Amino acid sequence: MRASFALTFCVMLAMAPWPSRAELDVSDYEGWVITVLEGETVRVLDGSNRMTRVRLKSIDAPERDQPFGEEARKYLASLLSGREIKVKAKQADDYGNILGQVWVTPPDCLDCKKSVDANLALLQAGLAWWSSKFAKQQSGAERKEYEAAQGKAREDRLGLWADPDPVPPWEWRRRKAAAETSQQRVSE
């Protein structure tokens, strides 16, 4: 029984069309989390058997090769993998991801409403950054809640805040790109 379900699921997954950026439906929808790619990016299969990538808006988790990157991915997987979610989406990014706020039922109450904001949960666990650069994506109440969650995690030294000098992902990417450019120049 389990093997036939797994096979059926894999066939459905293989047949699921990937929308182009122009075809992305940037509106609220529900779907199932198929894969957690990174600490803030998931693959979702929607009710129309269409596969999309959703990037959790207003936060930035460590990169996979960065300290706490794998911890962030695993935490998000524990919260979302195989679960039905609601995506509150308003836009797409330049990489073909839906940018959205992801809601899921509490892990201990599967019959409850989708009341857990996964984006906020990552901040509360100390596994993502909120920055004022994200403020324009949020309402005033969300900004205050996200900023307070990050402040509390930092104060309690949770997750990446246990590091005395954590490097924000945008800085990590900038340093990595600079190092790669420098290496290319040396090898030329």
Side-chain angles (χ1 to χ4, degrees), residues 1-126:
M1 176 80 174
R2 265 190 151 178
S4 65
F5 172 77
L7 180 60
T8 302
F9 181 75
C10 288
V11 169
M12 282 178 48
L13 188 60
M15 294 174 53
W18 284 94
S20 69
R21 188 172 196 282
E23 296 173 322
L24 283 173
D25 179 13
V26 184
S27 60
D28 295 357
Y29 69 97
E30 293 195 8
W32 293 88
V33 174
I34 304 304
T35 308
V36 176
L37 301 167
E38 293 185 287
E40 79 278 321
T41 309
V42 297
R43 277 197 185 121
V44 179
L45 183 64
D46 70 14
S48 302
N49 284 333
R50 200 174 51 180
M51 187 75 67
T52 56
R53 277 188 321 266
V54 176
R55 187 183 181 296
L56 281 63
K57 75 173 187 131
S58 305
I59 64 168
D60 202 353
E63 298 294 314
R64 286 186 97 167
D65 62 342
Q66 182 178 0
F68 297 97
E70 188 58 21
E71 289 88 340
R73 190 196 66 75
K74 285 179 180 177
Y75 179 83
L76 191 60
S78 73
L79 192 61
L80 301 179
S81 283
R83 309 265 318 272
E84 186 178 21
I85 62 169
K86 179 177 177 97
V87 179
K88 289 188 176 183
K90 298 291 182 236
Q91 67 190 86
D93 67 14
D94 293 335
Y95 305 103
N97 298 312
I98 298 283
L99 293 175
Q101 190 174 20
V102 173
W103 293 86
V104 66
T105 57
D108 57 348
C109 182
L110 301 180
D111 293 331
C112 295
K113 292 181 180 179
K114 293 174 183 72
S115 60
V116 175
D117 176 350
N119 310 40
L120 180 63
L122 278 162
L123 291 171
Q124 291 168 330

